[in-house]
Amino acid sequence: MHEYFIQNVRFHEDEVVTLKGWVYNLRKSGKIWFLLLRDGTGIIQCVVTKHDCDEASFDLKDVLTQESSVIVTGLVRADDRAEGGYELIAHKVELVSLAQEYPITKKEHGIEFLMDHRHLWLRSRRQHAIMRIRHTIIKSIRTFFDQRDFILVDTPIFQKMATEGTATLFETEYYDDKAYLTQSGQLYAEAAALALGKVYCFGPTFRAEKSKTRRHLTEFWMVEPEMAYYDLEMDMDLAEEMIMYIVAEVLLNRRQELETLERDISKLEAIRTPFPRMHYADAIKLLQEKGEDIPWGDDFGAPHETIIGESHSSPVLVHHYPADIKAFYMKRDAEEPKYALAVDMLAPEGYGEIIGGSQREDDLNVLLERMKAEGMAPENYQWYLDLRRYGSVPHSGFGLGLERTVAWICGLKHIREAIPFPRTMTRLTP
Ligand code: NSS
């Protein structure tokens, strides 16, 4: 079987190829018409004349509508003026399905209209670019872990207990019981790390966020590596290496898409390891110096993350947060127990937190105490506590929010464009 795609026509100069796609645009001028054909891999201009084409094909000019599906056979010709450097001299145009009047036109549409038509909006140049970059980010994450001998362990979506607090749990019926949609695969990844050493899970996670912000989805994808015998330092090294790899892969493979998005590529090229590392207390000082009214002990809000992130051209690792504002499973610093061995990575250009991670509490009794103090029911976590009963070791991990990363790398104003079909507090369709 031989298939041709627009992104590969450059390998077929002066050959006759068949391209299958949709009408992106149509321009007529008397004896010649131009069909902008898209096939998901790119867009190419097809030149249709009576001289090169049969009559039936030529006459389609009076019939075709935007987004009609068509198959075009023709000669690939290099042309510097053409988008992508090539055009197709059509020999034959076949209509597959005539599209009704397409709701998305050249005029400016409001964001709610576009979101209501997300299933069609995905056909635009801009959305193509975002989806292709998202694909490359996912692929690079998987390759990164694969090259370092991590084992992929899929964790359950139905869970009996909370990982990141009860405030954002989605509850669902589970036969005669109830279950929650996963907020994080971490606790299971910890079990897997003690079984397999270095593991990661990568899947959808769910949070009943009460806030409508440009950084929050109710369903988002998270990649969570978990490593036995890793301390916080090693955890931060890995997070930094992974981000550097992702950015390099996107720069290498998706330059054209970044240009389509009018992304300031120099900002991505300026990223360098080692990333700045900042103790929470120093981050508080920095914020106070910049005039923010934030006392030691408070968690950062989005504006604070923006300020810290904007002060550097590479992502910033803020570590050692006060234990009281962090999750129950985080280990405390032995020297200064008011701090947790926690880390957040804040992206540059105001994009805020993209990674949250920590070294985990590995002592059974300390963990039990902390759970009691949080009002958690240890009986729901017996299997998790077993990990501290049978061969407990220092271990660490982190979670990277995929859509926040896509939004940052693509330079999107809002996270909703970073996922094919976003779910937010106010959106469950399409
Ligand atoms: O809550 S996190 O900070 N951390 C965890 O869930 C840990 N259990 C991960 C781990 O150590 N294995 O979430 C991690 C990241 C966070 O930095 C964001 O990038 C992203 O997940 N995140 C979100 N993205 C989009 N929408 C929402 N609502 C959201 N919440 C977190």
Side-chain angles (χ1 to χ4, degrees), residues 49-63:
T49 62
K50 271 192 182 152
H51 179 265
D52 294 303
C53 231
D54 62 80
E55 187 114 352
S57 297
F58 185 81
D59 290 344
L60 278 176
K61 72 178 190 316
D62 302 320
V63 178

Side-chain angles (χ1 to χ4, degrees), residues 88-126:
L88 198 73
I89 309 303
H91 295 169
K92 192 176 177 62
V93 183
E94 296 164 77
L95 176 63
V96 178
S97 172
L98 192 67
Q100 297 181 17
E101 198 179 334
Y102 195 59
I104 303 178
T105 58
K106 279 216 173 100
K107 72 165 205 254
E108 283 278 313
H109 294 288
I111 187 66
E112 285 309 311
F113 178 89
L114 290 171
M115 275 297 157
D116 286 340
H117 292 84
R118 183 68 174 162
H119 50 297
L120 301 177
W121 191 25
L122 285 174
R123 301 179 185 195
S124 74
R125 243 186 253 269
R126 175 179 165 83

Side-chain angles (χ1 to χ4, degrees), residues 215-228:
R215 294 176 183 180
H216 288 91
L217 294 166
T218 52
E219 177 177 326
F220 63 97
W221 284 65
M222 183 158 47
V223 57
E224 299 180 83
E226 190 73 32
M227 298 73 63

Side-chain angles (χ1 to χ4, degrees), residues 126-139:
R126 175 179 165 83
Q127 300 307 316
H128 280 183
I130 298 170
M131 290 307 129
R132 291 158 80 83
I133 291 171
R134 178 183 163 106
H135 167 89
T136 295
I137 291 173
I138 294 172
K139 188 175 165 199

Side-chain angles (χ1 to χ4, degrees), residues 164 184 186 207 209 217 220 224 353-356 360 401:
E164 298 299 327
S184 160
Q186 179 195 318
R207 296 199 191 173
E209 301 285 0
L217 294 166
F220 63 97
E224 299 180 83
E353 180 195 331
I354 51 171
I355 284 180
R360 320 307 189 186

